[in-house]
Amino acid sequence: MQKQDRKPPTIKDVAAHAGVSVMTASRAINGKALVSAGAREAVAQAVKALGYVPNASARALAGSADRRVALLHSNSTTSAYLGELLLGALAEAPQRHLHLVVEQCAPGAFAQEIVDQVAQAHVAGVILPPPLCDWSELVEQLAQRDILVVAIAPDRDGPDMLSVGTDDRHAAYDLTRHLVDLGHRRIGFIEGNPRHRASARRLQGFRDCLADHGIAADAALVAPGDFSFRSGLDAAEQLLGLDTPPTAIFACNDDMAAAAITVAHQRKLNVPGDISICGFDDTPLASAIWPALTTIRQPIRDMSREAIGLLGMRLRSPDDGAHGVIGKVKLDYQLIRRQSDAVPARH
Amino acid sequence: MQKQDRKPPTIKDVAAHAGVSVMTASRAINGKALVSAGAREAVAQAVKALGYVPNASARALAGSADRRVALLHSNSTTSAYLGELLLGALAEAPQRHLHLVVEQCAPGAFAQEIVDQVAQAHVAGVILPPPLCDWSELVEQLAQRDILVVAIAPDRDGPDMLSVGTDDRHAAYDLTRHLVDLGHRRIGFIEGNPRHRASARRLQGFRDCLADHGIAADAALVAPGDFSFRSGLDAAEQLLGLDTPPTAIFACNDDMAAAAITVAHQRKLNVPGDISICGFDDTPLASAIWPALTTIRQPIRDMSREAIGLLGMRLRSPDDGAHGVIGKVKLDYQLIRRQSDAVPARH
DNA sequence: CTGAAAGCGCTAACAG
DNA sequence: CTGTTAGCGCTTTCAG
């Protein structure tokens, strides 16, 4: 195993190997039109033979268009969520010929400061995960400076906003459906933070499903929460303290579901034997507790991937007028079934 | 707020503004020697006035040296850990004028395949988080191809290997010390996976601390585990089932500590009133359970930051002979005190 | 359809 | 100490 090519092959080498000009090679590599099938083929072979990999820096430098984009994040995002986001974006950016930079915004920064920071990074677009994407002041100022914005799972989704998300309502519907199919009729629901629209959408899905299955809605079975473990404790106490407690609980996120399990155990209830408990989000917590949570997984990595894709499309053609590109992407969620649910106990 | 500079300022603009040549500007900006104080000052002002930011692509292209490095990760790394790693590396790479690429290695890939993949990315160095850094076959093959390797928290640390890590033994010592200072004398220990050296190092720190405080070691107080929640359950049962159970438990990671809390609750023990339980790693789980775990936080983000720094240093001067640069970095951990520990109960 | 020329922004080499 | 001359690898003109 000797040290072979000290320097990686360039497009020149490819062109020479294929017997065409550098320009033709470039066009062929980038899949542009106006290249004969023969040339295209020859170039493809040369690329493979030489193990050619385009130099991203050179591309960025030569390309006139601004192809730098940023992933902006606040410190309030959990690192697991952020990690997934980064992986998706980092994987997709090169494919789209985009240069990704990652910017963190300072803790108590004003929108103005953040915009300045982003502007100074010379980016043409920004990916905004929650909760940044719901900060309308920020979004507006970014738009004013002609910086493209893609929102990840925004709470409210303006018509002229690029966004990527999942269908929370539908996911909640499906999870409820799963419980109903198991035989549950009295299902408790622990709400999330009322300021997050996602919370309302999940509740909506829950209610729709019950209605569709002819199960009467019982206001006592819906307990308030705010996504925190602490609030889940209170909500679960409320639900399990009812005269006729539910046989299943649907918590708006995993943390609260974990809290519900804690309360159930304190009350000597077996999960899932006596009561089924489901979460939402499939955070690492979901599989780090016993019993492991049945929950809904959002394809976070794919979301940032799609977000980069959206930016790539929009940045390609600068014709602002006819932006016929679809600006909304809805991704499929997944129901992850683990050990926290079962058929209801017989009386 | 009108649209100002359509194009970001280049080094040319800076040079013009400062009244020097482009080269002088370049040297000044990069802090090289051989620049008069006056010129340096003028350039600095011009940079600030124009809001100049160097173009990374152009730099990479012009610089002859290979300044691409990769962060290689396996799918076995949790995304929270990876997220932190990425954030550190992404933040530091530009500072060091390094271009970071992120590569994921396929699930069951052979070392050979991975090396090929990395080599094809034309990188001069690779950051290897665990468990990849402990795969000696991979490390060796990478070295053979003249690719610099920096190991993140490796289990075994060869003398001629670049590495960044924390002092596990010392951290465990401190956490034990904390428990001892609280007044605990019977402290249980739940081991981690015996195949990970980190586990042994933590146990060592635990034992050293007890010895230093004249507390006799009791073999019955050390229970086996493998870092999984499941194993923590068994270990905690064993420990709490003793005739004279411990007043505190030191679990080798947060998952097992969470398991211990579960078991304690099942046995009607109050945590931390009846028993203190500490974890290790400060994963998100630590603050998502009740009571929140007192634990040790490793500076994961700083580790990758340092790793990039190491690569930057080594890649700067190609003089292989006298690599006087320090190749080992030990970072400080942090004891995070939350609600799972307290002074032992009186009898 | 193809190719030659001209840079993108920056920095290594050399000369002053 | 400073400036000039060449490119880095690629893509965009603009002519064939």
Side-chain angles (χ1 to χ4, degrees):
Chain A
M1 200 159 306
Q2 59 180 9
K3 297 163 195 171
Q4 337 181 44
D5 38 292
R6 272 255 140 277
K7 292 246 170 186
T10 77
I11 197 172
K12 259 186 194 160
D13 302 322
V14 173
H17 190 107
V20 298
S21 78
V22 174
M23 242 354 273
T24 304
S26 170
R27 284 196 270 254
I29 290 166
N30 292 309
K32 304 245 175 173
L34 308 184
V35 181
S36 68
R40 196 177 293 280
E41 175 62 21
V43 171
Q45 287 192 355
V47 166
K48 193 176 299 176
L50 270 42
Y52 168 76
V53 179
N55 179 320
S57 295
R59 245 185 197 161
L61 188 53
S64 54
D66 234 346
R67 298 195 73 75
R68 276 168 68 90
V69 297
L71 172 61
L72 187 66
H73 65 98
S74 61
N75 41 330
S76 72
T77 319
T78 71
S79 50
Y81 189 84
L82 198 52
E84 287 293 312
L85 238 33
L86 282 170
L87 287 174
L90 287 166
E92 187 70 12
Q95 316 282 335
R96 301 288 183 165
H97 302 183
L98 288 180
H99 271 223
L100 182 71
V101 298
V102 180
E103 300 273 348
Q104 170 158 24
C105 52
F110 291 113
Q112 182 63 58
E113 298 172 309
I114 297 172
V115 172
D116 284 345
Q117 178 190 349
V118 171
Q120 210 198 243
H122 303 307
V123 299
V126 189
I127 296 178
L128 253 37
L132 292 174
C133 55
D134 299 313
W135 187 357
S136 49
E137 190 187 355
L138 178 67
V139 173
E140 278 161 25
Q141 289 197 28
L142 247 14
Q144 267 178 29
R145 293 240 200 165
D146 280 332
I147 296 174
L148 217 50
V149 172
V150 181
I152 300 277
D155 270 1
R156 9 170 277 170
D157 196 358
D160 47 53
M161 183 189 235
L162 297 180
S163 71
V164 180
T166 53
D167 189 340
D168 271 288
R169 194 199 65 78
H170 206 278
Y173 187 102
D174 278 4
L175 186 54
T176 310
R177 169 81 190 265
H178 170 68
L179 256 13
V180 169
D181 285 350
L182 243 28
H184 293 278
R185 288 298 175 272
R186 280 189 69 73
I187 306 176
F189 186 91
I190 303 180
E191 295 180 287
N193 186 326
R195 292 175 48 184
H196 287 45
R197 291 280 175 102
S199 176
R201 287 194 298 250
R202 290 172 193 180
L203 177 56
Q204 193 56 52
F206 171 75
R207 286 191 166 136
D208 289 352
C209 181
L210 293 188
D212 287 357
H213 290 78
I215 300 172
D218 182 345
L221 288 178
V222 175
D226 63 6
F227 285 135
S228 72
F229 184 87
R230 187 73 248 175
S231 73
L233 251 23
D234 298 337
E237 286 288 1
Q238 177 183 325
L239 255 19
L240 296 177
L242 293 174
D243 290 338
T244 51
T247 61
I249 291 179
F250 174 167
C252 244
N253 76 350
D254 291 340
D255 281 25
M256 298 192 299
I261 287 181
T262 300
V263 172
H265 284 162
Q266 283 168 357
R267 289 172 170 261
K268 316 290 248 179
L269 291 172
N270 175 25
V271 181
D274 299 320
I275 179 153
S276 294
I277 295 176
C278 295
F280 210 102
D281 289 344
D282 194 30
T283 54
L285 175 66
S287 39
I289 59 176
W290 189 259
L293 289 173
T294 285
T295 185
I296 294 286
R297 175 185 299 164
Q298 312 257 29
I300 305 172
R301 197 180 295 199
D302 291 334
M303 288 197 205
S304 56
R305 198 190 295 282
E306 289 289 341
I308 289 284
L310 241 33
L311 286 176
M313 309 251 67
R314 279 308 192 78
L315 259 25
R316 183 167 301 284
S317 48
D319 47 285
D320 265 23
H323 41 252
V325 191
I326 298 121
K328 313 275 174 207
V329 178
K330 283 286 180 195
L331 263 27
D332 276 346
Y333 49 86
Q334 211 180 333
L335 199 166
I336 307 289
R337 191 166 184 203
R338 296 214 179 82
Q339 293 86 37
S340 67
D341 64 308
V343 298
R346 292 283 183 74
H347 303 278
Chain B
M1 202 156 305
Q2 59 181 7
K3 297 161 195 172
Q4 338 181 46
D5 37 293
R6 273 255 140 278
K7 293 245 169 185
T10 74
I11 198 171
K12 260 187 195 159
D13 303 322
V14 173
H17 189 107
V20 298
S21 78
V22 175
M23 231 11 258
T24 304
S26 170
R27 284 195 269 255
I29 290 166
N30 292 307
K32 303 245 178 174
L34 309 184
V35 182
S36 69
R40 196 177 293 280
E41 175 61 23
V43 171
Q45 286 192 357
V47 166
K48 194 176 296 177
L50 270 41
Y52 168 76
V53 178
N55 180 321
S57 295
R59 246 186 196 160
L61 189 54
S64 54
D66 235 345
R67 299 197 72 75
R68 275 169 69 91
V69 297
L71 172 61
L72 188 65
H73 65 98
S74 61
N75 40 331
S76 72
T77 320
T78 71
S79 50
Y81 189 84
L82 197 51
E84 287 294 312
L85 239 32
L86 282 170
L87 287 175
L90 287 167
E92 187 70 12
Q95 316 281 335
R96 301 288 183 164
H97 301 182
L98 289 179
H99 270 224
L100 182 70
V101 298
V102 180
E103 300 273 348
Q104 169 159 25
C105 53
F110 292 112
Q112 181 63 58
E113 298 172 308
I114 297 174
V115 172
D116 283 346
Q117 177 190 349
V118 171
Q120 210 198 244
H122 303 310
V123 298
V126 189
I127 295 178
L128 254 35
L132 291 175
C133 55
D134 298 312
W135 188 357
S136 48
E137 190 187 354
L138 179 66
V139 174
E140 278 162 23
Q141 289 197 29
L142 247 15
Q144 267 177 31
R145 293 240 201 165
D146 280 330
I147 295 173
L148 217 51
V149 171
V150 180
I152 300 276
D155 271 0
R156 5 170 279 170
D157 197 357
D160 47 53
M161 184 190 235
L162 297 181
S163 72
V164 180
T166 53
D167 189 340
D168 271 289
R169 194 198 66 79
H170 205 279
Y173 187 102
D174 278 3
L175 186 54
T176 310
R177 170 80 189 267
H178 171 69
L179 256 14
V180 169
D181 285 349
L182 242 30
H184 293 278
R185 289 297 173 274
R186 279 188 68 72
I187 306 176
F189 186 91
I190 303 181
E191 295 181 287
N193 187 326
R195 292 175 47 186
H196 288 44
R197 290 282 175 100
S199 176
R201 287 193 298 250
R202 290 173 194 179
L203 176 57
Q204 193 57 52
F206 171 75
R207 286 191 166 136
D208 290 351
C209 181
L210 293 189
D212 287 357
H213 290 78
I215 300 172
D218 182 345
L221 286 177
V222 175
D226 63 7
F227 286 136
S228 72
F229 185 88
R230 189 70 249 176
S231 73
L233 250 23
D234 298 336
E237 285 290 359
Q238 176 183 326
L239 257 20
L240 296 178
L242 293 174
D243 290 337
T244 51
T247 61
I249 291 180
F250 174 167
C252 245
N253 76 349
D254 291 339
D255 280 26
M256 298 193 298
I261 287 181
T262 300
V263 172
H265 284 162
Q266 282 169 357
R267 289 173 172 261
K268 315 290 247 178
L269 293 172
N270 176 24
V271 181
D274 298 319
I275 180 154
S276 294
I277 295 176
C278 296
F280 211 102
D281 289 345
D282 194 31
T283 54
L285 174 66
S287 41
I289 59 176
W290 189 260
L293 290 173
T294 285
T295 184
I296 294 286
R297 175 185 297 163
Q298 313 256 28
I300 304 173
R301 197 179 296 199
D302 292 332
M303 287 197 206
S304 56
R305 197 190 295 282
E306 289 290 341
I308 290 285
L310 242 32
L311 286 177
M313 309 249 70
R314 279 310 190 77
L315 257 27
R316 183 168 300 283
S317 48
D319 46 288
D320 264 24
H323 41 252
V325 191
I326 298 122
K328 311 276 174 208
V329 177
K330 281 287 181 195
L331 262 29
D332 276 346
Y333 48 87
Q334 212 181 334
L335 198 164
I336 307 289
R337 191 168 183 203
R338 296 214 179 81
Q339 294 84 38
S340 67
D341 64 309
V343 298
R346 294 283 182 75
H347 304 279

PDB file of all heavy atoms in Angstrom, chain B residues 155-176:
ATOM      1  N   ASP B 155     -10.007   5.031  25.221  1.00  0.00           N
ATOM      2  CA  ASP B 155      -9.860   4.132  26.344  1.00  0.00           C
ATOM      3  C   ASP B 155      -8.386   3.952  26.670  1.00  0.00           C
ATOM      4  O   ASP B 155      -7.964   4.087  27.796  1.00  0.00           O
ATOM      5  CB  ASP B 155     -10.470   2.767  26.014  1.00  0.00           C
ATOM      6  CG  ASP B 155     -11.930   2.732  26.395  1.00  0.00           C
ATOM      7  OD1 ASP B 155     -12.416   3.753  26.892  1.00  0.00           O
ATOM      8  OD2 ASP B 155     -12.562   1.699  26.192  1.00  0.00           O
ATOM      9  N   ARG B 156      -7.630   3.609  25.629  1.00  0.00           N
ATOM     10  CA  ARG B 156      -6.197   3.440  25.862  1.00  0.00           C
ATOM     11  C   ARG B 156      -5.517   4.480  24.996  1.00  0.00           C
ATOM     12  O   ARG B 156      -5.861   4.678  23.831  1.00  0.00           O
ATOM     13  CB  ARG B 156      -5.711   2.059  25.493  1.00  0.00           C
ATOM     14  CG  ARG B 156      -6.755   1.154  24.852  1.00  0.00           C
ATOM     15  CD  ARG B 156      -6.142  -0.086  24.300  1.00  0.00           C
ATOM     16  NE  ARG B 156      -5.552   0.194  22.998  1.00  0.00           N
ATOM     17  CZ  ARG B 156      -4.781  -0.654  22.348  1.00  0.00           C
ATOM     18  NH1 ARG B 156      -4.489  -1.799  22.889  1.00  0.00           N
ATOM     19  NH2 ARG B 156      -4.289  -0.350  21.162  1.00  0.00           N
ATOM     20  N   ASP B 157      -4.513   5.076  25.572  1.00  0.00           N
ATOM     21  CA  ASP B 157      -3.944   6.244  24.948  1.00  0.00           C
ATOM     22  C   ASP B 157      -2.463   6.018  24.642  1.00  0.00           C
ATOM     23  O   ASP B 157      -1.606   6.176  25.493  1.00  0.00           O
ATOM     24  CB  ASP B 157      -4.123   7.402  25.935  1.00  0.00           C
ATOM     25  CG  ASP B 157      -3.948   8.726  25.247  1.00  0.00           C
ATOM     26  OD1 ASP B 157      -3.638   8.718  24.042  1.00  0.00           O
ATOM     27  OD2 ASP B 157      -4.110   9.750  25.906  1.00  0.00           O
ATOM     28  N   GLY B 158      -2.190   5.620  23.416  1.00  0.00           N
ATOM     29  CA  GLY B 158      -0.799   5.380  23.024  1.00  0.00           C
ATOM     30  C   GLY B 158       0.042   6.643  23.179  1.00  0.00           C
ATOM     31  O   GLY B 158      -0.482   7.748  23.119  1.00  0.00           O
ATOM     32  N   PRO B 159       1.328   6.470  23.369  1.00  0.00           N
ATOM     33  CA  PRO B 159       2.201   7.622  23.610  1.00  0.00           C
ATOM     34  C   PRO B 159       2.324   8.558  22.406  1.00  0.00           C
ATOM     35  O   PRO B 159       2.457   9.761  22.565  1.00  0.00           O
ATOM     36  CB  PRO B 159       3.544   6.962  23.935  1.00  0.00           C
ATOM     37  CG  PRO B 159       3.487   5.613  23.285  1.00  0.00           C
ATOM     38  CD  PRO B 159       2.052   5.198  23.357  1.00  0.00           C
ATOM     39  N   ASP B 160       2.254   7.981  21.201  1.00  0.00           N
ATOM     40  CA  ASP B 160       2.430   8.849  20.031  1.00  0.00           C
ATOM     41  C   ASP B 160       1.080   9.156  19.380  1.00  0.00           C
ATOM     42  O   ASP B 160       0.976   9.323  18.178  1.00  0.00           O
ATOM     43  CB  ASP B 160       3.367   8.189  19.026  1.00  0.00           C
ATOM     44  CG  ASP B 160       2.998   6.742  18.800  1.00  0.00           C
ATOM     45  OD1 ASP B 160       1.819   6.486  18.482  1.00  0.00           O
ATOM     46  OD2 ASP B 160       3.866   5.887  18.945  1.00  0.00           O
ATOM     47  N   MET B 161       0.068   9.220  20.204  1.00  0.00           N
ATOM     48  CA  MET B 161      -1.259   9.488  19.664  1.00  0.00           C
ATOM     49  C   MET B 161      -1.763  10.835  20.171  1.00  0.00           C
ATOM     50  O   MET B 161      -1.582  11.166  21.337  1.00  0.00           O
ATOM     51  CB  MET B 161      -2.197   8.385  20.154  1.00  0.00           C
ATOM     52  CG  MET B 161      -3.603   8.482  19.595  1.00  0.00           C
ATOM     53  SD  MET B 161      -4.673   7.314  20.471  1.00  0.00           S
ATOM     54  CE  MET B 161      -5.346   6.386  19.090  1.00  0.00           C
ATOM     55  N   LEU B 162      -2.373  11.586  19.280  1.00  0.00           N
ATOM     56  CA  LEU B 162      -2.949  12.845  19.722  1.00  0.00           C
ATOM     57  C   LEU B 162      -4.268  12.512  20.404  1.00  0.00           C
ATOM     58  O   LEU B 162      -5.039  11.708  19.902  1.00  0.00           O
ATOM     59  CB  LEU B 162      -3.220  13.764  18.522  1.00  0.00           C
ATOM     60  CG  LEU B 162      -1.993  14.215  17.726  1.00  0.00           C
ATOM     61  CD1 LEU B 162      -2.421  15.138  16.584  1.00  0.00           C
ATOM     62  CD2 LEU B 162      -1.000  14.920  18.634  1.00  0.00           C
ATOM     63  N   SER B 163      -4.514  13.125  21.519  1.00  0.00           N
ATOM     64  CA  SER B 163      -5.777  12.828  22.180  1.00  0.00           C
ATOM     65  C   SER B 163      -6.253  13.966  23.066  1.00  0.00           C
ATOM     66  O   SER B 163      -5.483  14.806  23.518  1.00  0.00           O
ATOM     67  CB  SER B 163      -5.641  11.556  23.026  1.00  0.00           C
ATOM     68  OG  SER B 163      -4.850  11.819  24.156  1.00  0.00           O
ATOM     69  N   VAL B 164      -7.550  13.972  23.273  1.00  0.00           N
ATOM     70  CA  VAL B 164      -8.171  14.945  24.150  1.00  0.00           C
ATOM     71  C   VAL B 164      -9.098  14.153  25.070  1.00  0.00           C
ATOM     72  O   VAL B 164      -9.808  13.278  24.616  1.00  0.00           O
ATOM     73  CB  VAL B 164      -9.033  15.947  23.351  1.00  0.00           C
ATOM     74  CG1 VAL B 164      -9.677  16.942  24.294  1.00  0.00           C
ATOM     75  CG2 VAL B 164      -8.196  16.658  22.319  1.00  0.00           C
ATOM     76  N   GLY B 165      -9.076  14.456  26.328  1.00  0.00           N
ATOM     77  CA  GLY B 165      -9.939  13.703  27.231  1.00  0.00           C
ATOM     78  C   GLY B 165     -10.033  14.369  28.583  1.00  0.00           C
ATOM     79  O   GLY B 165      -9.508  15.467  28.784  1.00  0.00           O
ATOM     80  N   THR B 166     -10.720  13.713  29.466  1.00  0.00           N
ATOM     81  CA  THR B 166     -10.772  14.235  30.827  1.00  0.00           C
ATOM     82  C   THR B 166     -10.200  13.177  31.749  1.00  0.00           C
ATOM     83  O   THR B 166      -9.993  12.036  31.350  1.00  0.00           O
ATOM     84  CB  THR B 166     -12.211  14.528  31.289  1.00  0.00           C
ATOM     85  OG1 THR B 166     -12.989  13.359  31.098  1.00  0.00           O
ATOM     86  CG2 THR B 166     -12.795  15.694  30.540  1.00  0.00           C
ATOM     87  N   ASP B 167      -9.975  13.567  32.959  1.00  0.00           N
ATOM     88  CA  ASP B 167      -9.405  12.648  33.919  1.00  0.00           C
ATOM     89  C   ASP B 167     -10.543  11.953  34.666  1.00  0.00           C
ATOM     90  O   ASP B 167     -11.029  12.433  35.680  1.00  0.00           O
ATOM     91  CB  ASP B 167      -8.515  13.431  34.883  1.00  0.00           C
ATOM     92  CG  ASP B 167      -7.713  12.500  35.771  1.00  0.00           C
ATOM     93  OD1 ASP B 167      -8.108  11.326  35.912  1.00  0.00           O
ATOM     94  OD2 ASP B 167      -6.704  12.951  36.320  1.00  0.00           O
ATOM     95  N   ASP B 168     -10.958  10.830  34.142  1.00  0.00           N
ATOM     96  CA  ASP B 168     -12.071  10.082  34.727  1.00  0.00           C
ATOM     97  C   ASP B 168     -11.817   9.696  36.175  1.00  0.00           C
ATOM     98  O   ASP B 168     -12.707   9.801  37.021  1.00  0.00           O
ATOM     99  CB  ASP B 168     -12.297   8.787  33.928  1.00  0.00           C
ATOM    100  CG  ASP B 168     -13.253   8.991  32.789  1.00  0.00           C
ATOM    101  OD1 ASP B 168     -14.459   9.167  33.063  1.00  0.00           O
ATOM    102  OD2 ASP B 168     -12.800   8.995  31.642  1.00  0.00           O
ATOM    103  N   ARG B 169     -10.604   9.266  36.417  1.00  0.00           N
ATOM    104  CA  ARG B 169     -10.290   8.813  37.765  1.00  0.00           C
ATOM    105  C   ARG B 169     -10.466   9.965  38.745  1.00  0.00           C
ATOM    106  O   ARG B 169     -11.104   9.847  39.785  1.00  0.00           O
ATOM    107  CB  ARG B 169      -8.844   8.303  37.820  1.00  0.00           C
ATOM    108  CG  ARG B 169      -8.524   7.492  39.077  1.00  0.00           C
ATOM    109  CD  ARG B 169      -7.023   7.392  39.305  1.00  0.00           C
ATOM    110  NE  ARG B 169      -6.448   8.699  39.598  1.00  0.00           N
ATOM    111  CZ  ARG B 169      -6.509   9.301  40.797  1.00  0.00           C
ATOM    112  NH1 ARG B 169      -7.139   8.707  41.788  1.00  0.00           N
ATOM    113  NH2 ARG B 169      -5.975  10.490  40.970  1.00  0.00           N
ATOM    114  N   HIS B 170      -9.924  11.073  38.370  1.00  0.00           N
ATOM    115  CA  HIS B 170      -9.972  12.235  39.233  1.00  0.00           C
ATOM    116  C   HIS B 170     -11.403  12.723  39.442  1.00  0.00           C
ATOM    117  O   HIS B 170     -11.795  13.114  40.558  1.00  0.00           O
ATOM    118  CB  HIS B 170      -9.126  13.348  38.631  1.00  0.00           C
ATOM    119  CG  HIS B 170      -8.608  14.321  39.630  1.00  0.00           C
ATOM    120  ND1 HIS B 170      -9.373  15.346  40.122  1.00  0.00           N
ATOM    121  CD2 HIS B 170      -7.407  14.410  40.247  1.00  0.00           C
ATOM    122  CE1 HIS B 170      -8.663  16.035  40.996  1.00  0.00           C
ATOM    123  NE2 HIS B 170      -7.461  15.493  41.091  1.00  0.00           N
ATOM    124  N   ALA B 171     -12.176  12.670  38.390  1.00  0.00           N
ATOM    125  CA  ALA B 171     -13.575  13.108  38.495  1.00  0.00           C
ATOM    126  C   ALA B 171     -14.333  12.196  39.455  1.00  0.00           C
ATOM    127  O   ALA B 171     -15.112  12.650  40.296  1.00  0.00           O
ATOM    128  CB  ALA B 171     -14.225  13.095  37.122  1.00  0.00           C
ATOM    129  N   ALA B 172     -14.091  10.897  39.322  1.00  0.00           N
ATOM    130  CA  ALA B 172     -14.766   9.946  40.200  1.00  0.00           C
ATOM    131  C   ALA B 172     -14.318  10.171  41.640  1.00  0.00           C
ATOM    132  O   ALA B 172     -15.104  10.073  42.578  1.00  0.00           O
ATOM    133  CB  ALA B 172     -14.432   8.517  39.757  1.00  0.00           C
ATOM    134  N   TYR B 173     -13.053  10.500  41.769  1.00  0.00           N
ATOM    135  CA  TYR B 173     -12.502  10.777  43.100  1.00  0.00           C
ATOM    136  C   TYR B 173     -13.264  11.950  43.714  1.00  0.00           C
ATOM    137  O   TYR B 173     -13.722  11.886  44.853  1.00  0.00           O
ATOM    138  CB  TYR B 173     -11.018  11.114  42.978  1.00  0.00           C
ATOM    139  CG  TYR B 173     -10.302  11.261  44.309  1.00  0.00           C
ATOM    140  CD1 TYR B 173      -9.496  10.242  44.793  1.00  0.00           C
ATOM    141  CD2 TYR B 173     -10.438  12.416  45.070  1.00  0.00           C
ATOM    142  CE1 TYR B 173      -8.832  10.357  46.014  1.00  0.00           C
ATOM    143  CE2 TYR B 173      -9.791  12.555  46.286  1.00  0.00           C
ATOM    144  CZ  TYR B 173      -8.989  11.521  46.755  1.00  0.00           C
ATOM    145  OH  TYR B 173      -8.351  11.649  47.952  1.00  0.00           O
ATOM    146  N   ASP B 174     -13.422  12.988  42.945  1.00  0.00           N
ATOM    147  CA  ASP B 174     -14.092  14.188  43.452  1.00  0.00           C
ATOM    148  C   ASP B 174     -15.546  13.949  43.811  1.00  0.00           C
ATOM    149  O   ASP B 174     -16.052  14.457  44.809  1.00  0.00           O
ATOM    150  CB  ASP B 174     -14.016  15.312  42.414  1.00  0.00           C
ATOM    151  CG  ASP B 174     -12.681  16.029  42.478  1.00  0.00           C
ATOM    152  OD1 ASP B 174     -11.812  15.616  43.270  1.00  0.00           O
ATOM    153  OD2 ASP B 174     -12.520  17.014  41.735  1.00  0.00           O
ATOM    154  N   LEU B 175     -16.223  13.164  42.977  1.00  0.00           N
ATOM    155  CA  LEU B 175     -17.629  12.906  43.249  1.00  0.00           C
ATOM    156  C   LEU B 175     -17.754  12.084  44.539  1.00  0.00           C
ATOM    157  O   LEU B 175     -18.616  12.353  45.387  1.00  0.00           O
ATOM    158  CB  LEU B 175     -18.260  12.155  42.069  1.00  0.00           C
ATOM    159  CG  LEU B 175     -19.767  11.933  42.153  1.00  0.00           C
ATOM    160  CD1 LEU B 175     -20.503  13.252  42.374  1.00  0.00           C
ATOM    161  CD2 LEU B 175     -20.279  11.272  40.870  1.00  0.00           C
ATOM    162  N   THR B 176     -16.858  11.124  44.700  1.00  0.00           N
ATOM    163  CA  THR B 176     -16.864  10.304  45.906  1.00  0.00           C
ATOM    164  C   THR B 176     -16.567  11.195  47.109  1.00  0.00           C
ATOM    165  O   THR B 176     -17.232  11.121  48.149  1.00  0.00           O
ATOM    166  CB  THR B 176     -15.778   9.207  45.807  1.00  0.00           C
ATOM    167  OG1 THR B 176     -15.918   8.537  44.565  1.00  0.00           O
ATOM    168  CG2 THR B 176     -15.933   8.211  46.952  1.00  0.00           C
TER     169      THR B 176
END
